[in-house]
Amino acid sequence: MKDGTDGVQLLDVYDLLPFDNIDGGAWKQGFEIRYHGNEWDEQPLELFLVPHSHNDPGWVKTFDGYYQDQTKHILNNMLVKLSQDSRRKMIWAEISYFSKWWNDIDEQKRAMVKRLLGAGQLELVTGGWVMADEANSHYFAMLDQLIEGHQWIQKHLGVKPRSGWAIDPFGHSPSMTYLLKGAGLSNIVIQRVHYAVKKHFAQQQTLEFLWRQSWDPSPRSDIMCHMMPFYSYDVPHTCGPNPAVCCQFDFHRLTGGRVFCPWRIPPQPITEQNIEERAQLLLDQYRQKSRLFRSSVLLVPLGDDFRFTESSEWDAQFSNYQKLFDYFDQHPELHIKARFGTLSDYFEALHRHLTAAETTLPTLRGDFFTYADRDDHYWSGYFTSRPFYKRLDRMLEATLRATEILFSLTLAEMRRVRGDGHLVADFPARKHFQLLKAGRRNLALFQHHDAIAGTARDPVVVDYGTRLFHSMLNLRQVLQSSAHWLLLLDKRHYHHDQSNPFLEMDDTISAQDSLPQKTLLMLGDEPRSLIIFNPTEQQRSSVISVVIDHPDATVVDAEMGQPVAAQDPSRASTDAFQLSFVAELPPLSLVIYYVTKASVGSAHRAQYTVHRQGNPPTVHAEHLQVTHLQGPESNAPLSLSNKHIQMWSSPETGLLQKLRLQSGLVRQVQVQFLWYRTRAGMNQDKSGAYLFLPGEEGAQLYSYSEPPLIRVSRGPIFSDITSCFRHFTHTVRLYHLDGHAGKSLEISNMVDIRSEINHELVMRLVSDVANGNRFYSDLNGFQMQQRRTLPKLPLQANFYPMSSASFLQDSMSRLSLLSAQSQAVAALRPGELEVVLDRRLQQDDNRGLGQGITDNKLTASLYHLLLEDRRGGAQGMGGASVEHLSLLAHMTSLFLSHLPITMVAPASSQVPKLRPFLPLSSSLPCDVHLLNLRTLEDSQEAESPSQEVALLLHRKGFDCSSAPEPAPPCTWSTQEEVNLDDLFSPLQFRSVRHSGLTLLREDDEPESAQQQQLPHIAHLRPMEISAFRVEID
Ligand SMILES: [Zn+2]
């Protein structure tokens, strides 16, 4: 598929650009812009000055701190100042702040807000809860924060955002534009793009383009995008190319104010005496800027971080600019029409001009990573900064999704059981819905571009962490309570007691900065019931591990009464033993297993080999079968295998060396750990929260004075090798399971680098996959993006974000690393793939944060490594090959991100009879992902659940060239049309209305008789997310 001649592929731009960073003069990173002066004779310059105030929901101060000190004053003043003059305008992006302020203001002020919105003086742009990070955020959370914002806007204001505004996220992803387009937006402004790309686009007049999805042959997903040309979104870098001039038109910096112009020429108030000279000076900047665009419409933002706080600032900006605009009006020979505008004012004018000129904008495919704002300052550090919280984010995300789905199913089941559409009185539906909503909002807040990015001050990080932690606990309450009701055979036994819940989780999280710990399950004479929830839409076999107080136990499937495969118990501590067993979990089910104490020695034990080269360890092993390796035996590679894979590891380190598939494919895959240090020179910039500025020596192999302790365990359901190094513990595990779980290696790391300064730890895979300089990494878990490692760029520029997957491939094989958390990834040499695990940096990197990052914690990371046979080549589109994960990789990634949730019922024999909950009769097609089943808020009764649910389905694109043999044990429909009633049988939908991705009512399909009847047919295209407003019967 070829684009027209005007199509731009960013990968090709990267191949083309010299990245020479030549001094461009006044516009340092650009070039001298020339014009004759008669360019606007036919079409006058039509200028929109767009006032904005960038309000970070947490950064140097907490969300509440900023709100109290700045944001509420900004919004209060906005009401006054916009109401004074109908020509004044303002845009606002962050609904987290706007909704908080709304709660604080009276009805009269609310009416004023609505009036300003109606008059087009105020515009809500994007309408997300936050201005989300586009590198680390997963698409579930990106969409969820957009839904939360849009639902709030719909409910309280009844308007619909049309234009997006993303001026501060540190790089831009097409996954975001896909979601915005799906939510009904037509336009977007972006800012943080590599300065060399900006310069090139300015030269080509392609700063405005139709951003198309890499995988989409159609223009369906196109969004009109405006890229700001200059260094920053502040006033000095938005009026035109010369910041020394533009700064003079930031009237907040008039002499005597707290902010001034670093170019040493202060602004002057506009007077009758100076207006001609001032107007000419400003017009020159506008004209120069205009030459970078194809139309004569010009967008000039007016604002900065937390601007328009004080009343005087509003007056200074609005009155001085109004004088200039009036002057332009009085001088038609200047050929400029200038006014205050909103973003949509600008884009509407642009549309008009393009239509009148019968031209369209060029299309563009690709993404804007990795961002550099100057020199070799690449913002690849924040892809990993604060990895503990990046992991916690995904744990909360999985918990939120699981809770949403189970809560929605519970309400539907209650209505069905009662038959009268009402809920069970004893079930705290309203209270639970409020906890759910708070959970949504805390996850949403954390998607902010200084939150999940790991670029906030330490106390702000604690504030975010505390919110995530509390939400985790609260969502678990909802999950436990919903599961309780669903499991009861006789629903009359349901009683809600928050202080003494019927079900408890099998682990506890004790603080915002600690990892979950398994709770000890006490085994008495009575069997203990374990309840397991499978949050995925697929049938799966999963290994469940619990910690018990007895060395031997049996596990029985409650329904069949059959003992299931169990392993160990391996010792967790002196009186605690880990018991693992295989659970068969139907899609979205709650199932019950009984654990019973057994006679000592009756359970199947894993065999342990423990060794350390040179210095054999002593192991106390009362209940374990432990062997020490000695002599030549200790120098042979360690090997584990199941029926799909064989793996070999180094006897010295326990780290992986080689993989062999059942098909005969053999690949060297060595796991290494390395350190990066930062630049050493006194005057050199160093790595910090945002920037990765490694030392010239590059990565150094992790060295140790004493070889690691290695533990090899071999059991009937899994085998693993654990290597204990000083700074990390690394485990590679092979499951002896049929189906997907046995086809990949599970890798887990526990990292603790708190003893080091200015160190970054990476895990590197060194393979013989002949991928050349190309690899693939995902964008937000939504799509794969080709990457080209370019030697003309510094090392730090070749690092990219990875939210869930990366792979290398050649004509014979593909090696995929699937991850459960966001991190930086690079493939610096052929066959290599590395992820940055943690970074501890002593200094600030001069981007306003004012501190290093030294609040590291014991941090977990989790992966699956998948080697696959491959045949056939990639599919090309728009100048690059478009690749997807294989179905097996999708499935593995799904299971990795959405682990089964284990709960424990009380030990008493008095517990009422429970029965499993099996809402679906079969798995969904394995390329269809149930993204969410999200209960919508009642439009009449605030804070209460309605009967309507947002059903969000994502049909994955998948790669066929690595289709496994035999095909995975699931079906997928080849048709785009699917019958939702069949898919979700035996669940029934009373009504199904196709909607926009954020469920705004005006995007709903018109109601027709057909929606009330069966069948409910939906079109699900590969790669696309579809949203439906449904009522479950
Ligand atoms: Zn910001």
Side-chain angles (χ1 to χ4, degrees), residues 842-867:
Q842 203 177 17
Q843 59 284 317
D844 183 45
D845 51 5
N846 301 312
R847 294 303 185 280
L849 179 60
Q851 62 155 83
I853 38 169
T854 53
D855 58 348
N856 306 65
K857 333 250 177 257
L858 178 64
T859 298
S861 57
L862 183 64
Y863 313 85
H864 271 246
L865 182 65
L866 178 62
L867 177 64

PDB file of all heavy atoms in Angstrom, residues 842-867:
ATOM      1  N   GLN A 842      21.658  11.197  41.071  1.00  0.00           N
ATOM      2  CA  GLN A 842      21.843  12.116  42.171  1.00  0.00           C
ATOM      3  C   GLN A 842      21.423  13.541  41.838  1.00  0.00           C
ATOM      4  O   GLN A 842      21.109  14.317  42.720  1.00  0.00           O
ATOM      5  CB  GLN A 842      23.326  12.110  42.539  1.00  0.00           C
ATOM      6  CG  GLN A 842      23.610  12.545  43.930  1.00  0.00           C
ATOM      7  CD  GLN A 842      25.092  12.445  44.215  1.00  0.00           C
ATOM      8  OE1 GLN A 842      25.914  12.346  43.312  1.00  0.00           O
ATOM      9  NE2 GLN A 842      25.444  12.470  45.473  1.00  0.00           N
ATOM     10  N   GLN A 843      21.435  13.898  40.548  1.00  0.00           N
ATOM     11  CA  GLN A 843      21.299  15.317  40.208  1.00  0.00           C
ATOM     12  C   GLN A 843      20.062  15.613  39.360  1.00  0.00           C
ATOM     13  O   GLN A 843      19.513  14.751  38.706  1.00  0.00           O
ATOM     14  CB  GLN A 843      22.543  15.816  39.466  1.00  0.00           C
ATOM     15  CG  GLN A 843      22.852  15.073  38.173  1.00  0.00           C
ATOM     16  CD  GLN A 843      23.470  13.718  38.398  1.00  0.00           C
ATOM     17  OE1 GLN A 843      24.342  13.561  39.236  1.00  0.00           O
ATOM     18  NE2 GLN A 843      23.001  12.717  37.673  1.00  0.00           N
ATOM     19  N   ASP A 844      19.713  16.862  39.406  1.00  0.00           N
ATOM     20  CA  ASP A 844      18.645  17.397  38.570  1.00  0.00           C
ATOM     21  C   ASP A 844      19.166  17.486  37.137  1.00  0.00           C
ATOM     22  O   ASP A 844      20.350  17.687  36.910  1.00  0.00           O
ATOM     23  CB  ASP A 844      18.277  18.790  39.099  1.00  0.00           C
ATOM     24  CG  ASP A 844      17.116  19.386  38.337  1.00  0.00           C
ATOM     25  OD1 ASP A 844      16.135  18.662  38.099  1.00  0.00           O
ATOM     26  OD2 ASP A 844      17.184  20.578  37.979  1.00  0.00           O
ATOM     27  N   ASP A 845      18.258  17.354  36.164  1.00  0.00           N
ATOM     28  CA  ASP A 845      18.719  17.486  34.782  1.00  0.00           C
ATOM     29  C   ASP A 845      18.172  18.755  34.103  1.00  0.00           C
ATOM     30  O   ASP A 845      17.993  18.798  32.891  1.00  0.00           O
ATOM     31  CB  ASP A 845      18.442  16.219  33.963  1.00  0.00           C
ATOM     32  CG  ASP A 845      16.997  15.750  34.085  1.00  0.00           C
ATOM     33  OD1 ASP A 845      16.187  16.444  34.723  1.00  0.00           O
ATOM     34  OD2 ASP A 845      16.679  14.683  33.518  1.00  0.00           O
ATOM     35  N   ASN A 846      17.907  19.757  34.902  1.00  0.00           N
ATOM     36  CA  ASN A 846      17.612  21.108  34.398  1.00  0.00           C
ATOM     37  C   ASN A 846      16.362  21.214  33.528  1.00  0.00           C
ATOM     38  O   ASN A 846      16.345  21.916  32.527  1.00  0.00           O
ATOM     39  CB  ASN A 846      18.815  21.668  33.622  1.00  0.00           C
ATOM     40  CG  ASN A 846      20.040  21.717  34.498  1.00  0.00           C
ATOM     41  OD1 ASN A 846      19.979  22.197  35.629  1.00  0.00           O
ATOM     42  ND2 ASN A 846      21.142  21.176  33.998  1.00  0.00           N
ATOM     43  N   ARG A 847      15.321  20.528  33.942  1.00  0.00           N
ATOM     44  CA  ARG A 847      14.059  20.688  33.238  1.00  0.00           C
ATOM     45  C   ARG A 847      12.955  21.139  34.201  1.00  0.00           C
ATOM     46  O   ARG A 847      11.782  20.915  33.958  1.00  0.00           O
ATOM     47  CB  ARG A 847      13.663  19.382  32.524  1.00  0.00           C
ATOM     48  CG  ARG A 847      14.604  18.964  31.380  1.00  0.00           C
ATOM     49  CD  ARG A 847      14.726  20.061  30.324  1.00  0.00           C
ATOM     50  NE  ARG A 847      15.504  19.671  29.159  1.00  0.00           N
ATOM     51  CZ  ARG A 847      16.851  19.660  29.098  1.00  0.00           C
ATOM     52  NH1 ARG A 847      17.569  19.986  30.160  1.00  0.00           N
ATOM     53  NH2 ARG A 847      17.472  19.327  27.983  1.00  0.00           N
ATOM     54  N   GLY A 848      13.397  21.741  35.318  1.00  0.00           N
ATOM     55  CA  GLY A 848      12.429  22.366  36.215  1.00  0.00           C
ATOM     56  C   GLY A 848      12.077  21.546  37.442  1.00  0.00           C
ATOM     57  O   GLY A 848      11.464  22.060  38.376  1.00  0.00           O
ATOM     58  N   LEU A 849      12.465  20.285  37.468  1.00  0.00           N
ATOM     59  CA  LEU A 849      12.105  19.446  38.609  1.00  0.00           C
ATOM     60  C   LEU A 849      12.882  19.854  39.860  1.00  0.00           C
ATOM     61  O   LEU A 849      12.332  19.866  40.958  1.00  0.00           O
ATOM     62  CB  LEU A 849      12.368  17.973  38.250  1.00  0.00           C
ATOM     63  CG  LEU A 849      12.073  16.950  39.342  1.00  0.00           C
ATOM     64  CD1 LEU A 849      10.606  17.000  39.746  1.00  0.00           C
ATOM     65  CD2 LEU A 849      12.434  15.545  38.864  1.00  0.00           C
ATOM     66  N   GLY A 850      14.159  20.151  39.670  1.00  0.00           N
ATOM     67  CA  GLY A 850      14.963  20.637  40.790  1.00  0.00           C
ATOM     68  C   GLY A 850      15.441  19.558  41.744  1.00  0.00           C
ATOM     69  O   GLY A 850      15.767  19.849  42.892  1.00  0.00           O
ATOM     70  N   GLN A 851      15.505  18.324  41.315  1.00  0.00           N
ATOM     71  CA  GLN A 851      16.048  17.253  42.164  1.00  0.00           C
ATOM     72  C   GLN A 851      16.428  16.054  41.302  1.00  0.00           C
ATOM     73  O   GLN A 851      16.029  15.946  40.144  1.00  0.00           O
ATOM     74  CB  GLN A 851      15.019  16.828  43.226  1.00  0.00           C
ATOM     75  CG  GLN A 851      13.731  16.266  42.647  1.00  0.00           C
ATOM     76  CD  GLN A 851      13.010  15.323  43.594  1.00  0.00           C
ATOM     77  OE1 GLN A 851      12.288  15.765  44.466  1.00  0.00           O
ATOM     78  NE2 GLN A 851      13.203  14.013  43.415  1.00  0.00           N
ATOM     79  N   GLY A 852      17.215  15.166  41.892  1.00  0.00           N
ATOM     80  CA  GLY A 852      17.521  13.899  41.227  1.00  0.00           C
ATOM     81  C   GLY A 852      16.443  12.880  41.547  1.00  0.00           C
ATOM     82  O   GLY A 852      15.394  13.233  42.100  1.00  0.00           O
ATOM     83  N   ILE A 853      16.694  11.623  41.194  1.00  0.00           N
ATOM     84  CA  ILE A 853      15.750  10.584  41.626  1.00  0.00           C
ATOM     85  C   ILE A 853      16.530   9.541  42.418  1.00  0.00           C
ATOM     86  O   ILE A 853      17.301   8.757  41.879  1.00  0.00           O
ATOM     87  CB  ILE A 853      14.948   9.939  40.477  1.00  0.00           C
ATOM     88  CG1 ILE A 853      15.798   9.755  39.218  1.00  0.00           C
ATOM     89  CG2 ILE A 853      13.719  10.760  40.153  1.00  0.00           C
ATOM     90  CD1 ILE A 853      15.110   8.883  38.187  1.00  0.00           C
ATOM     91  N   THR A 854      16.268   9.600  43.730  1.00  0.00           N
ATOM     92  CA  THR A 854      16.990   8.719  44.642  1.00  0.00           C
ATOM     93  C   THR A 854      16.029   8.020  45.598  1.00  0.00           C
ATOM     94  O   THR A 854      16.437   7.514  46.631  1.00  0.00           O
ATOM     95  CB  THR A 854      18.018   9.537  45.460  1.00  0.00           C
ATOM     96  OG1 THR A 854      17.327  10.642  46.066  1.00  0.00           O
ATOM     97  CG2 THR A 854      19.132  10.087  44.580  1.00  0.00           C
ATOM     98  N   ASP A 855      14.734   8.035  45.246  1.00  0.00           N
ATOM     99  CA  ASP A 855      13.745   7.394  46.125  1.00  0.00           C
ATOM    100  C   ASP A 855      13.456   5.969  45.660  1.00  0.00           C
ATOM    101  O   ASP A 855      12.325   5.492  45.738  1.00  0.00           O
ATOM    102  CB  ASP A 855      12.454   8.226  46.172  1.00  0.00           C
ATOM    103  CG  ASP A 855      11.836   8.437  44.792  1.00  0.00           C
ATOM    104  OD1 ASP A 855      12.516   8.150  43.771  1.00  0.00           O
ATOM    105  OD2 ASP A 855      10.671   8.869  44.712  1.00  0.00           O
ATOM    106  N   ASN A 856      14.475   5.276  45.180  1.00  0.00           N
ATOM    107  CA  ASN A 856      14.298   3.919  44.656  1.00  0.00           C
ATOM    108  C   ASN A 856      13.782   2.970  45.736  1.00  0.00           C
ATOM    109  O   ASN A 856      14.001   3.182  46.924  1.00  0.00           O
ATOM    110  CB  ASN A 856      15.633   3.390  44.123  1.00  0.00           C
ATOM    111  CG  ASN A 856      16.238   4.338  43.104  1.00  0.00           C
ATOM    112  OD1 ASN A 856      16.602   5.455  43.443  1.00  0.00           O
ATOM    113  ND2 ASN A 856      16.326   3.913  41.880  1.00  0.00           N
ATOM    114  N   LYS A 857      13.130   1.924  45.264  1.00  0.00           N
ATOM    115  CA  LYS A 857      12.578   0.915  46.181  1.00  0.00           C
ATOM    116  C   LYS A 857      12.992  -0.469  45.683  1.00  0.00           C
ATOM    117  O   LYS A 857      13.509  -0.597  44.580  1.00  0.00           O
ATOM    118  CB  LYS A 857      11.042   0.927  46.169  1.00  0.00           C
ATOM    119  CG  LYS A 857      10.423   2.225  45.802  1.00  0.00           C
ATOM    120  CD  LYS A 857       9.742   2.855  46.994  1.00  0.00           C
ATOM    121  CE  LYS A 857       9.172   4.192  46.649  1.00  0.00           C
ATOM    122  NZ  LYS A 857       9.989   5.288  47.144  1.00  0.00           N
ATOM    123  N   LEU A 858      12.660  -1.463  46.490  1.00  0.00           N
ATOM    124  CA  LEU A 858      12.742  -2.830  45.997  1.00  0.00           C
ATOM    125  C   LEU A 858      11.681  -2.946  44.898  1.00  0.00           C
ATOM    126  O   LEU A 858      10.497  -2.732  45.151  1.00  0.00           O
ATOM    127  CB  LEU A 858      12.458  -3.807  47.143  1.00  0.00           C
ATOM    128  CG  LEU A 858      12.461  -5.287  46.768  1.00  0.00           C
ATOM    129  CD1 LEU A 858      13.848  -5.725  46.296  1.00  0.00           C
ATOM    130  CD2 LEU A 858      12.024  -6.136  47.963  1.00  0.00           C
ATOM    131  N   THR A 859      12.129  -3.223  43.682  1.00  0.00           N
ATOM    132  CA  THR A 859      11.250  -3.094  42.521  1.00  0.00           C
ATOM    133  C   THR A 859      11.167  -4.415  41.755  1.00  0.00           C
ATOM    134  O   THR A 859      12.181  -5.042  41.468  1.00  0.00           O
ATOM    135  CB  THR A 859      11.786  -1.986  41.598  1.00  0.00           C
ATOM    136  OG1 THR A 859      11.779  -0.751  42.322  1.00  0.00           O
ATOM    137  CG2 THR A 859      10.940  -1.831  40.350  1.00  0.00           C
ATOM    138  N   ALA A 860       9.934  -4.806  41.439  1.00  0.00           N
ATOM    139  CA  ALA A 860       9.716  -6.051  40.699  1.00  0.00           C
ATOM    140  C   ALA A 860       9.463  -5.761  39.233  1.00  0.00           C
ATOM    141  O   ALA A 860       8.882  -4.734  38.889  1.00  0.00           O
ATOM    142  CB  ALA A 860       8.522  -6.792  41.293  1.00  0.00           C
ATOM    143  N   SER A 861       9.936  -6.638  38.365  1.00  0.00           N
ATOM    144  CA  SER A 861       9.541  -6.566  36.959  1.00  0.00           C
ATOM    145  C   SER A 861       9.290  -7.984  36.455  1.00  0.00           C
ATOM    146  O   SER A 861       9.900  -8.938  36.930  1.00  0.00           O
ATOM    147  CB  SER A 861      10.601  -5.857  36.115  1.00  0.00           C
ATOM    148  OG  SER A 861      11.856  -6.489  36.234  1.00  0.00           O
ATOM    149  N   LEU A 862       8.381  -8.083  35.514  1.00  0.00           N
ATOM    150  CA  LEU A 862       7.899  -9.394  35.074  1.00  0.00           C
ATOM    151  C   LEU A 862       7.782  -9.425  33.550  1.00  0.00           C
ATOM    152  O   LEU A 862       7.302  -8.457  32.935  1.00  0.00           O
ATOM    153  CB  LEU A 862       6.528  -9.633  35.723  1.00  0.00           C
ATOM    154  CG  LEU A 862       5.844 -10.965  35.482  1.00  0.00           C
ATOM    155  CD1 LEU A 862       6.645 -12.112  36.080  1.00  0.00           C
ATOM    156  CD2 LEU A 862       4.438 -10.949  36.094  1.00  0.00           C
ATOM    157  N   TYR A 863       8.211 -10.541  32.956  1.00  0.00           N
ATOM    158  CA  TYR A 863       8.224 -10.678  31.484  1.00  0.00           C
ATOM    159  C   TYR A 863       7.898 -12.113  31.079  1.00  0.00           C
ATOM    160  O   TYR A 863       8.029 -13.037  31.881  1.00  0.00           O
ATOM    161  CB  TYR A 863       9.619 -10.389  30.909  1.00  0.00           C
ATOM    162  CG  TYR A 863      10.267  -9.161  31.437  1.00  0.00           C
ATOM    163  CD1 TYR A 863      10.981  -9.198  32.633  1.00  0.00           C
ATOM    164  CD2 TYR A 863      10.158  -7.953  30.752  1.00  0.00           C
ATOM    165  CE1 TYR A 863      11.568  -8.060  33.139  1.00  0.00           C
ATOM    166  CE2 TYR A 863      10.742  -6.813  31.257  1.00  0.00           C
ATOM    167  CZ  TYR A 863      11.443  -6.870  32.448  1.00  0.00           C
ATOM    168  OH  TYR A 863      12.016  -5.745  32.949  1.00  0.00           O
ATOM    169  N   HIS A 864       7.556 -12.250  29.806  1.00  0.00           N
ATOM    170  CA  HIS A 864       7.632 -13.565  29.168  1.00  0.00           C
ATOM    171  C   HIS A 864       8.499 -13.423  27.928  1.00  0.00           C
ATOM    172  O   HIS A 864       8.394 -12.435  27.195  1.00  0.00           O
ATOM    173  CB  HIS A 864       6.252 -14.098  28.802  1.00  0.00           C
ATOM    174  CG  HIS A 864       5.627 -14.898  29.910  1.00  0.00           C
ATOM    175  ND1 HIS A 864       5.363 -16.238  29.829  1.00  0.00           N
ATOM    176  CD2 HIS A 864       5.248 -14.517  31.150  1.00  0.00           C
ATOM    177  CE1 HIS A 864       4.845 -16.663  30.969  1.00  0.00           C
ATOM    178  NE2 HIS A 864       4.747 -15.636  31.786  1.00  0.00           N
ATOM    179  N   LEU A 865       9.348 -14.407  27.738  1.00  0.00           N
ATOM    180  CA  LEU A 865      10.230 -14.433  26.565  1.00  0.00           C
ATOM    181  C   LEU A 865       9.729 -15.541  25.653  1.00  0.00           C
ATOM    182  O   LEU A 865       9.579 -16.684  26.083  1.00  0.00           O
ATOM    183  CB  LEU A 865      11.669 -14.703  27.018  1.00  0.00           C
ATOM    184  CG  LEU A 865      12.730 -14.715  25.927  1.00  0.00           C
ATOM    185  CD1 LEU A 865      12.873 -13.334  25.278  1.00  0.00           C
ATOM    186  CD2 LEU A 865      14.081 -15.164  26.514  1.00  0.00           C
ATOM    187  N   LEU A 866       9.486 -15.168  24.405  1.00  0.00           N
ATOM    188  CA  LEU A 866       8.835 -16.097  23.481  1.00  0.00           C
ATOM    189  C   LEU A 866       9.652 -16.193  22.201  1.00  0.00           C
ATOM    190  O   LEU A 866       9.871 -15.187  21.515  1.00  0.00           O
ATOM    191  CB  LEU A 866       7.426 -15.568  23.176  1.00  0.00           C
ATOM    192  CG  LEU A 866       6.550 -16.338  22.199  1.00  0.00           C
ATOM    193  CD1 LEU A 866       6.251 -17.733  22.707  1.00  0.00           C
ATOM    194  CD2 LEU A 866       5.242 -15.575  21.969  1.00  0.00           C
ATOM    195  N   LEU A 867      10.099 -17.398  21.894  1.00  0.00           N
ATOM    196  CA  LEU A 867      10.788 -17.642  20.622  1.00  0.00           C
ATOM    197  C   LEU A 867       9.812 -18.364  19.706  1.00  0.00           C
ATOM    198  O   LEU A 867       9.176 -19.332  20.118  1.00  0.00           O
ATOM    199  CB  LEU A 867      12.039 -18.503  20.874  1.00  0.00           C
ATOM    200  CG  LEU A 867      12.839 -18.911  19.631  1.00  0.00           C
ATOM    201  CD1 LEU A 867      13.443 -17.696  18.930  1.00  0.00           C
ATOM    202  CD2 LEU A 867      13.946 -19.907  20.002  1.00  0.00           C
TER     203      LEU A 867
END
